[in-house]
Amino acid sequence: MKAVQFMSYGAADVLRINEVDRPAPAAGEVLVAVEASSVNGHDVIVRSGGLKMVSGRRFPIGVGLDFAGVVADIGAGVAGYRAGDRVWGTVHPRQRHTTAGAAEYVVVAADRLAPMPAGLSPVEAASLVVAGTTALIALRDSVQLAAGERVLVRGAAGGVGTAAVQLAHSMGGHVTALARDRHAHILTALGADEVRDYGSTTSDQIGPFDVILDTVGTELHCYRGRLTRTGRMVTVGLSGPALAAIAASSVHGSRRIRTFSANPDTAMLRDLAAHVDSGALRPVIDGVHPLADAPAAHQAFERGGVVGKQVIEVAA
């Protein structure tokens, strides 16, 4: 089978499409014939060497945190799935993978899968797995957004941002989206009540907010200062400075800057599917790339300035 791998850490051009043996599912695992996988920040960090402590220096290493596809085989003890079922899911983000979601086949634990929403194509489904579950965990579980609250989504045009705008709107929040001006019409259509241009808007010109969801990871202390007395803030844009700001904010109690490690299981994926089925969440895709052009998909993700996700179509 074909799989996207790299033999050394670096820029997107280290990615190679290699021919490797097809994996077989062990007990409790499912083999999925992958139809699509998206590019996520985790993929870029691993590829560039930002998680060497976890991924190590044994190569090759595969990329692709999420996937959508069809069950090809099941291991012993797996119930609830059979060959031909359409599923979506993720590989474990804290494990080293020789091959991962950006491959023709992937093996994962059965509790990392769920049925794919019937109304989505594989490309659409793959675009929502990580972005959607991250936004849902952030808003529902981390900051517990309530109806009527004012919420700021910073980095609103990205994969997590576009999902967060939609979910915050469906949860009854008054949504301010911070993004490029040229994306205002799209974000408004997704449910944003206001769109402010990030290039000309400073933190002290907006708010205050009951909830802030940050996907950027910079100037966190400035935006935390725009919280109401009972406000909550969460960031998914992690970096060295961001981690320092998170640690320093602990003195502020409930108004601290929160973060989390999204690691969705079957229950979370089913919850996400319910939001899709209800019409509260729909895919936003900027580009679709064939498996052979996986490096171009990573490059497009890193350039930024787009709306939504970069998706790798494995099986057309």
Side-chain angles (χ1 to χ4, degrees):
M1 72 169 193
K2 292 181 174 60
V4 182
Q5 300 174 310
F6 57 92
M7 297 297 297
S8 62
Y9 295 115
D13 58 8
V14 302
L15 295 176
R16 298 289 183 269
I17 292 77
N18 294 329
E19 194 72 33
V20 302
D21 292 336
R22 192 175 98 170
E29 294 181 335
V30 176
L31 176 69
V32 177
V34 179
E35 295 177 298
S37 176
S38 81
V39 182
N40 294 284
H42 179 272
D43 301 311
V44 172
I45 293 170
V46 170
R47 188 211 70 219
S48 61
L51 289 174
K52 291 178 186 176
M53 293 293 290
V54 176
S55 53
R57 291 189 174 275
R58 288 188 297 115
F59 299 99
I61 296 174
V63 298
L65 187 58
D66 54 26
F67 57 86
V70 179
V71 172
D73 195 7
I74 59 174
V78 174
Y81 295 105
R82 60 184 179 181
D85 287 348
R86 306 192 71 80
V87 294
W88 62 356
T90 66
V91 301
H92 199 295
R94 293 188 293 277
Q95 293 178 355
R96 180 188 175 279
H97 302 277
T98 302
T99 61
E104 291 182 318
Y105 291 89
V106 65
V107 163
V108 295
D111 63 3
R112 303 192 66 79
L113 288 174
M116 185 194 311
L120 298 182
S121 71
V123 165
E124 291 172 329
S127 75
L128 283 175
V129 177
V130 168
T133 54
T134 299
L136 185 57
I137 293 169
L139 292 170
R140 186 190 67 184
D141 302 334
S142 183
V143 297
Q144 300 177 343
L145 175 65
E149 291 191 309
R150 294 181 58 85
V151 54
L152 172 69
V153 179
R154 186 170 177 239
V160 175
T162 51
V165 167
Q166 296 176 75
L167 291 172
H169 173 74
S170 73
M171 295 166 72
H174 181 280
V175 184
T176 298
L178 193 59
R180 294 176 189 262
D181 254 354
R182 67 172 181 265
H183 301 324
H185 65 292
I186 297 174
L187 293 168
T188 300
L190 294 176
D193 298 284
E194 303 176 47
V195 181
R196 299 294 296 269
D197 177 36
Y198 87 90
S200 60
T201 303
T202 59
S203 60
D204 59 355
Q205 293 175 318
I206 52 176
F209 299 99
D210 302 295
V211 165
I212 297 175
L213 192 163
D214 170 82
T215 73
V216 182
T218 61
E219 300 181 89
L220 296 184
H221 67 288
C222 296
Y223 283 92
R224 197 207 64 79
R226 303 308 298 156
L227 290 173
T228 62
R229 184 177 58 82
T230 58
R232 292 90 66 205
M233 179 175 177
V234 59
T235 183
V236 299
L238 298 184
S239 63
L243 293 173
I246 292 167
S249 76
S250 62
V251 299
H252 297 286
S254 63
R255 297 175 72 245
R256 70 190 183 280
I257 303 169
R258 299 161 168 83
T259 191
F260 59 91
S261 176
N263 191 15
D265 58 8
T266 296
M268 177 58 69
L269 291 165
R270 287 184 179 275
D271 287 349
L272 186 68
H275 285 278
V276 174
D277 293 339
S278 72
L281 180 65
R282 66 179 192 263
V284 181
I285 298 170
D286 182 80
V288 180
H289 311 260
L291 188 67
D293 287 345
H298 275 236
Q299 289 166 350
F301 176 91
E302 291 181 276
R303 278 196 302 270
V306 300
V307 181
K309 296 285 291 184
Q310 302 296 325
V311 180
I312 297 171
E313 190 169 24
V314 179

